[in-house]
Structures are given as C-alpha cells and as structure tokens.
Amino acid sequence: QVQLVESGGGLVQAGGSLRLSCAASGRTFSDYAMGWFRQAPGKEREFVAAISWSGSRTYYADSVKGRFSISRDNAKNTVYLQMNNLKPEDTAVYYCARGSGGYHTGQYDYWGQGTQVTVSS
C-alpha cells in the first residue's frame, strides 16, 4: 500500500512563496513519475506539474511555468513543489499523486489527502 502525505500549504500574500512537500511510503517511489494537481472550489482538479522517475524530465501547466518548480529526492521518497510569485488564482487544494507523469488525473493511481494553499491579494 502506498501512502502520500502532503505538507507545506498555508496562507501567503500575493507575490510570496511556498514549498510543498509530498512524502511517500513504500520502496517503489523511484520507479514512478510523480505529479502535482490542484482543485479550487467549484472547479475540476487540474494538472500543475509532473516529474519523471529520475527527475530528468519535468512538465508544467502553462499557468505556472516560470513560477513553479517540481523536484524530487528519491533517497527521501519525497517530491517537492516550489511555488514563487504566487497569485490569488493559485488558491486551491494541492494534491500529489503517483503515476505515469501525464497531464490527466486518470494517469495516476495513488493520491495524497491534499494541502490547502491560499493566496491573498
């Protein structure tokens, strides 16, 4: 059984930064790509970023390119999302997930419980 636990969310002013972490249980973390998604109230869950199993390839939604950075530490079974220059429209619950590294929720099989990010204007 794989468990993913996100942390690092909170309340920040526009222009500020946050770093999300996602700690994974199990011995197969380095075998899989990881992704971050977010879901705002009343909206569908949307892709934010993904990283390949080795960390050599990263992918971003257009809305966060140049502001967010995804990384991973396979020795610590942890994936990170560094979020800079945050905007009010980034407000959402952020989820990490294990999967193929694609852009769609159906390409991921395990999900964390989510962490709230709120950006005030």
Side-chain angles (χ1 to χ4, degrees):
Q1 185 73 12
V2 174
Q3 286 190 320
L4 303 174
V5 180
E6 301 97 336
S7 61
L11 173 64
V12 64
Q13 288 188 332
S17 298
L18 283 174
R19 187 194 196 202
L20 305 184
S21 299
C22 172
S25 65
R27 295 180 293 176
T28 60
F29 177 78
S30 60
D31 292 342
Y32 292 89
M34 297 294 295
W36 286 96
F37 287 75
R38 67 186 181 186
Q39 188 166 18
K43 295 188 176 181
E44 292 189 353
R45 194 168 297 188
E46 66 174 5
F47 172 79
V48 175
I51 188 166
S52 63
W53 66 270
S54 66
S56 62
R57 289 170 291 165
T58 57
Y59 310 89
Y60 297 94
D62 288 343
S63 59
V64 306
K65 274 181 187 175
R67 300 188 298 122
F68 290 12
S69 177
I70 188 171
S71 61
R72 67 189 296 163
D73 185 338
N74 286 342
K76 295 182 178 180
N77 278 16
T78 302
V79 61
Y80 305 96
L81 185 68
Q82 177 67 44
M83 306 186 295
N84 299 326
N85 190 21
L86 283 159
K87 303 176 180 180
E89 51 264 42
D90 294 318
T91 295
V93 177
Y94 283 70
Y95 300 89
C96 70
R98 188 194 82 166
S100 67
Y103 296 89
H104 305 290
T105 57
Q107 295 172 292
Y108 295 81
D109 55 0
Y110 286 96
W111 293 81
Q113 83 289 349
T115 186
Q116 176 71 46
V117 171
T118 303
V119 184
S120 63
S121 58

